[in-house]
Amino acid sequence: GAVVSQHPSRVICKSGTSVKIECRSLDFQATTMFWYRQFPKQSLMLMATSNEGSKATYEQGVEKDKFLINHASLTLSTLTVTSAHPEDSSFYICSAQKGTGYNSPLHFGNGTRLTVT
Amino acid sequence: RKEVEQDPGPFNVPEGATVAFNCTYSNSASQSFFWYRQDCRKEPKLLMSVYSSGNEDGRFTAQLNRASQYISLLIRDSKLSDSATYLCVVNTFSGGYQKVTFGTGTKLQVIP
C-alpha cells in the first residue's frame, strides 16, 4: 500500500522558535499534499493544500506567513511553523493522494505532535 | 449547514453487536466518499471507499445514497478492536480544485 512518512513524530520547542515538519511519499509521486491540524478531541482541520512547483493554497483563517509550505519535489512537502507560540501546540498531519482520479483516497503520515513551551 | 456532518457519539455497544453510522454531506456535486478510522492520538487510516453500488469488506459494509446525500457504515459482529473514531470523508472537484472534507467523526466504544 501507499506509504507516507512524516518527520519528526514529536517535537518540543520554545516559544519564538521555528519548527519544520517533513512529509514524504515513499512509494508514489504526489503532486498534491494536504496539511491538517487537530486539537485534542476535535476533528481534523485542513490548513492548506500543497502543490508541487507552485504556491500552496491556504484555508481561510490560516496565516500563510506563519505556516510556510514548500513542495519542492513530487515526494516531499514541508510545513514550517514560524515563531511558534503555545497556542500552536497541536497534532499536525500531512496526507497525499496516490493517483490523480477523484476516487483516489488520501494516505496519511503518522503525524507530528508539536508542543511549544 | 456543515459540509459534512456526523453524529459524534459516543456509540457504546456490546461485543458482537451490529452498529451503523451515517454521514450527511451538503454538496450534491461531491464525487467520491471514504470511511477512515482514527485511533486515539494516531493518524487516520483508510477503512474503505464508498461506491454507489455499495461495497462490503468482511464485517464492514458501506453504502452511498446520492438522492438523500448520505453515506453509511455498518459494522457487524463488533470486536473490541473496532473501538475508534470513524471519519467520513467527502471529495469534491470544482473548477480544477479538489477539496477533501472530513466529518468530525463518530466515536465507537465496543464494550466486553
Side-chain angles (χ1 to χ4, degrees):
Chain A
V3 178
V4 175
S5 172
Q6 192 172 334
H7 178 80
S9 58
R10 185 180 294 268
V11 59
I12 300 172
C13 71
K14 291 187 176 179
S15 189
T17 60
S18 295
V19 174
K20 180 187 279 190
I21 303 169
E22 292 187 350
C23 180
R24 294 179 185 273
S25 54
L26 297 184
D27 58 351
F28 65 99
Q29 293 184 329
T31 53
T32 304
M33 291 185 175
F34 302 90
W35 287 96
Y36 295 84
R37 179 166 55 181
Q38 187 174 35
F39 293 106
K41 298 186 179 181
Q42 293 188 25
S43 61
L44 285 167
M45 186 185 77
L46 178 65
M47 297 176 68
T49 302
S50 172
N51 306 298
E52 188 268 335
S54 65
K55 291 182 180 180
T57 305
Y58 289 82
E59 294 299 301
Q60 194 171 12
V62 178
E63 299 173 59
K64 62 180 181 181
D65 295 328
K66 181 170 181 63
F67 299 99
L68 300 178
I69 291 173
N70 184 281
H71 195 151
S73 77
L74 287 170
T75 58
L76 173 64
S77 174
T78 60
L79 168 68
T80 301
V81 183
T82 62
S83 187
H85 290 284
E87 57 265 32
D88 297 324
S89 298
S90 186
F91 189 47
Y92 291 86
I93 313 175
C94 71
S95 69
Q97 192 173 31
K98 184 177 183 181
T100 55
Y102 58 78
N103 281 324
S104 301
L106 293 177
H107 297 275
F108 286 84
N110 52 326
T112 297
R113 195 159 300 280
L114 171 64
T115 303
V116 185
T117 60
Chain B
R1 182 185 173 186
K2 287 184 180 177
E3 290 181 68
V4 178
E5 289 198 74
Q6 291 183 255
D7 181 341
F11 284 57
N12 298 313
V13 302
E15 266 187 291
T18 294
V19 61
F21 311 132
N22 277 348
C23 167
T24 59
Y25 60 95
S26 61
N27 190 338
S28 60
S30 297
Q31 289 101 340
S32 55
F33 311 87
F34 307 91
W35 282 104
Y36 281 75
R37 169 198 171 123
Q38 186 175 24
D39 292 289
C40 189
R41 299 171 74 86
K42 299 276 189 179
E43 77 280 14
K45 291 190 185 294
L46 178 66
L47 182 64
M48 58 199 305
S49 302
V50 186
Y51 303 124
S52 297
S53 54
N55 47 304
E56 187 174 308
D57 182 3
R59 298 181 293 109
F60 299 84
T61 301
Q63 299 233 311
L64 165 64
N65 185 317
R66 285 194 183 273
S68 301
Q69 294 182 205
Y70 75 86
I71 66 172
S72 63
L73 177 68
L74 181 79
I75 305 175
R76 289 181 297 278
D77 188 24
S78 299
K79 311 289 184 192
L80 294 177
S81 57
D82 294 334
S83 298
T85 296
Y86 291 83
L87 302 169
C88 157
V89 178
V90 175
N91 206 0
T92 307
F93 275 84
S94 178
Y97 177 63
Q98 179 185 200
K99 184 170 184 180
V100 180
T101 307
F102 281 78
T104 53
T106 298
K107 187 171 182 179
L108 171 66
Q109 185 69 47
V110 181
I111 306 163

Short mmCIF file of all heavy atoms in Angstrom, two decimals, chain A residues 23 40 64 78-79 82 89 97:
data_model
loop_
_atom_site.label_atom_id
_atom_site.label_comp_id
_atom_site.label_asym_id
_atom_site.label_seq_id
_atom_site.Cartn_x
_atom_site.Cartn_y
_atom_site.Cartn_z
N CYS A 23 7.07 15.87 5.11
CA CYS A 23 6.11 14.86 4.69
C CYS A 23 6.59 14.28 3.36
O CYS A 23 6.79 15.03 2.39
CB CYS A 23 4.73 15.51 4.51
SG CYS A 23 3.44 14.36 3.98
N PRO A 40 -6.92 18.48 20.54
CA PRO A 40 -7.48 17.36 21.30
C PRO A 40 -9.00 17.32 21.24
O PRO A 40 -9.67 18.34 21.38
CB PRO A 40 -6.98 17.62 22.73
CG PRO A 40 -5.71 18.39 22.54
CD PRO A 40 -5.94 19.25 21.34
N LYS A 64 -0.58 32.38 6.12
CA LYS A 64 0.43 31.80 5.23
C LYS A 64 1.85 32.20 5.63
O LYS A 64 2.81 31.48 5.34
CB LYS A 64 0.15 32.17 3.77
CG LYS A 64 0.19 33.64 3.49
CD LYS A 64 -0.10 33.89 2.02
CE LYS A 64 -0.04 35.37 1.70
NZ LYS A 64 -0.34 35.66 0.28
N THR A 78 7.09 20.31 2.90
CA THR A 78 7.46 20.68 4.27
C THR A 78 6.54 21.78 4.77
O THR A 78 6.09 22.64 4.01
CB THR A 78 8.91 21.18 4.35
OG1 THR A 78 9.07 22.33 3.51
CG2 THR A 78 9.89 20.10 3.91
N LEU A 79 6.27 21.73 6.06
CA LEU A 79 5.50 22.74 6.75
C LEU A 79 6.40 23.33 7.83
O LEU A 79 6.91 22.59 8.68
CB LEU A 79 4.25 22.14 7.39
CG LEU A 79 3.48 23.03 8.38
CD1 LEU A 79 2.83 24.21 7.68
CD2 LEU A 79 2.42 22.22 9.14
N THR A 82 6.51 29.04 11.92
CA THR A 82 7.46 30.10 12.27
C THR A 82 7.03 30.80 13.56
O THR A 82 5.83 30.94 13.83
CB THR A 82 7.57 31.13 11.15
OG1 THR A 82 6.28 31.75 10.96
CG2 THR A 82 8.00 30.49 9.84
N SER A 89 0.57 24.64 19.66
CA SER A 89 0.73 23.24 20.08
C SER A 89 -0.47 22.43 19.57
O SER A 89 -1.61 22.78 19.86
CB SER A 89 0.80 23.15 21.61
OG SER A 89 1.93 23.85 22.09
N GLN A 97 -2.26 12.05 -1.97
CA GLN A 97 -3.19 11.25 -2.75
C GLN A 97 -2.40 10.48 -3.81
O GLN A 97 -1.68 11.08 -4.60
CB GLN A 97 -4.21 12.15 -3.42
CG GLN A 97 -5.39 11.42 -4.02
CD GLN A 97 -6.44 12.41 -4.52
OE1 GLN A 97 -6.10 13.50 -4.94
NE2 GLN A 97 -7.69 12.02 -4.46
#
